[in-house]
Amino acid sequence: MAWARFSSLDGGVIEGSGVEAVTHDIDDLTAGFWAVTVTFEGHLTAVRLSEVSRRGAGAPSGRADATWPGAEGEWTNSLDDTAYVEGVDEIRERIARGTVYQVNLCRVLSAAVGDVSVRALGGVLAQGNPAPYAATIDIPEAGLEIACASPEAYLVRRGNTLTSSPIKGTAATASEMLPKDFAENVMIVDLVRNDLQHVCRPGTVRVDHLCRVEQHPGLVHLVSDVTGELRDGATWHEILDASFPPGSVSGTPKHTAVQAITDLEPVARGPYCGAIGWIDADRDEALLAVGIRTFWIEREASGQRMLHFGTGAGITWGSDPEGELRETELKASRLVSLARGPSGRVGA
């Protein structure tokens, strides 16, 4: 049976099952509770769930499941180390020419898996890498097999209040944050402020927190909060048009950053760096995470099931190519170690 588990607005858990409807049109989300994903490339899939239960703060977010066997072989990489460093150099050249200021450059790791349930992987992540915006979506009939341990809120809606909490700046410890990390965070906050102003009432968009340090398993992030009050009649279509893809995983200016991503990344990101979460149309509530720290399963034309995981870093003029490469490894190491099983390893 179709099943999904999400973090809720109060720090608890929402679980849903049963499929009432599947749509790829955001305008269809007028009633009910929907599991929602939007790929980085902009393809939306929303599933209205028939049975929904909520448990408050302190409820367990999942359980480890010993049936998760891990990947069957070596992990491959869409950009090897040399290609990634060359990509950073190319972005710095574009910055020098003035066509872009910041670009998030990513690579996708992939490994074969057998006939396994993504629910089991979701439980492993919940135990080994708890995250504030975790989600597991196991709805194969809609093409969704996703286990997400995202630390980043793309959009949180409570009535007419809309909040986005971009992450820019990652290090093993707070003392290792660089001036570049703080400058990059401020740059993306300005982008997010501009995005929200398109759908919020004039004068209501504000920065609640700027560059606070958040501790997560194995690393720390700089996180900011941008909030606004939606103008009367603002629709989800307008909200997504104004703010997607998330600025923290694209870059600024957004249109030239996305062009650089298209030029330099050899594979589509899919749900990685997109939006993953839920929309409750009856309550005017939603929690859409940025689809980072995310695994997803796809079936190739041959029938082989592949497990994918994305990792990336924000590139500015002040970026050190080798340092950015190491940041992608830092972000991936803990999660891949949880998912890959005893025989898997990250390929070159």
Side-chain angles (χ1 to χ4, degrees):
M1 174 183 285
W3 177 91
R5 177 192 288 124
F6 305 98
S7 297
S8 66
L9 295 182
D10 64 358
V13 174
I14 300 174
E15 288 190 358
S17 61
V19 175
E20 289 187 345
V22 178
T23 186
H24 303 293
D25 186 347
I26 190 66
D27 291 332
D28 289 339
L29 277 61
T30 57
F33 182 94
W34 298 79
V36 176
T37 68
V38 188
T39 68
F40 182 78
E41 294 74 30
H43 179 72
L44 176 140
T45 301
V47 180
R48 188 168 66 198
L49 300 174
S50 57
E51 301 291 334
V52 177
S53 63
R54 299 171 182 264
R55 290 173 285 162
S61 57
R63 62 181 179 85
D65 192 326
T67 63
W68 176 254
E72 295 180 336
E74 288 191 355
W75 291 74
T76 60
N77 212 318
S78 64
L79 285 173
D80 64 18
D81 291 358
T82 299
Y84 193 87
V85 168
E86 290 174 349
V88 175
D89 288 334
E90 169 62 22
I91 290 169
R92 292 185 72 251
E93 290 181 9
R94 296 188 187 206
I95 293 170
R97 294 197 299 267
T99 61
V100 72
Y101 305 117
Q102 192 262 12
V103 177
N104 203 59
L105 183 64
C106 299
R107 48 191 190 158
V108 175
L109 287 68
S110 302
V113 292
D115 187 19
V116 296
S117 170
V118 78
R119 299 188 202 187
L121 178 56
V124 169
L125 298 186
Q127 294 296 310
N129 197 96
Y133 308 112
T136 303
I137 305 176
D138 186 17
I139 312 178
E141 57 265 52
L144 302 179
E145 295 181 79
I146 297 170
C148 173
S150 178
E152 182 174 1
Y154 162 46
L155 293 173
V156 175
R157 181 173 183 175
R158 296 177 173 89
N160 285 326
T161 300
L162 193 67
T163 300
S164 184
S165 299
I167 288 176
K168 290 313 313 176
T170 300
T173 65
S175 64
E176 296 175 70
M177 286 289 180
L178 303 173
K180 172 255 182 187
D181 295 311
F182 290 88
E184 187 180 4
N185 190 291
V186 171
M187 187 185 305
I188 298 303
V189 165
D190 190 53
L191 172 65
V192 172
R193 287 176 61 246
N194 182 69
D195 287 349
L196 295 192
Q197 284 170 355
H198 291 293
V199 290
C200 290
R201 291 189 286 109
T204 66
V205 177
R206 63 188 185 272
V207 180
D208 295 321
H209 300 95
L210 183 65
C211 293
R212 72 175 184 274
V213 176
E214 277 190 2
Q215 182 76 46
H216 294 275
L219 48 75
V220 296
H221 288 307
L222 295 180
V223 185
S224 297
D225 298 314
V226 184
T227 297
E229 299 299 321
L230 287 168
R231 59 174 170 76
D232 292 344
T235 66
W236 273 109
H237 197 130
E238 293 171 320
I239 293 168
L240 293 181
D241 280 351
S243 61
F244 194 85
S248 62
V249 290
S250 54
T252 183
K254 196 177 285 188
H255 66 286
T256 52
V258 170
Q259 183 59 57
I261 290 166
T262 301
D263 293 343
L264 297 173
E265 295 184 13
V267 300
R269 294 184 181 181
Y272 171 59
C273 290
I276 299 171
W278 55 270
I279 293 176
D280 190 332
D282 297 331
R283 300 187 181 201
D284 280 336
E285 294 180 346
L287 196 167
L288 297 176
V290 178
I292 56 175
R293 316 295 193 272
T294 295
F295 294 90
W296 69 102
I297 296 174
E298 292 181 330
R299 188 179 296 275
E300 296 185 331
S302 65
Q304 175 64 61
R305 286 160 55 83
M306 299 296 295
L307 179 68
H308 304 291
F309 179 85
T311 184
I315 313 305
T316 67
W317 174 249
S319 289
D320 167 58
E322 293 292 339
E324 301 295 357
L325 176 66
R326 289 192 296 272
E327 181 174 319
T328 71
E329 294 168 345
L330 174 65
K331 290 173 177 176
S333 60
R334 182 184 183 92
L335 286 151
V336 170
S337 70
L338 290 171
R340 64 186 176 182
S343 63
R345 66 179 181 86
V346 177

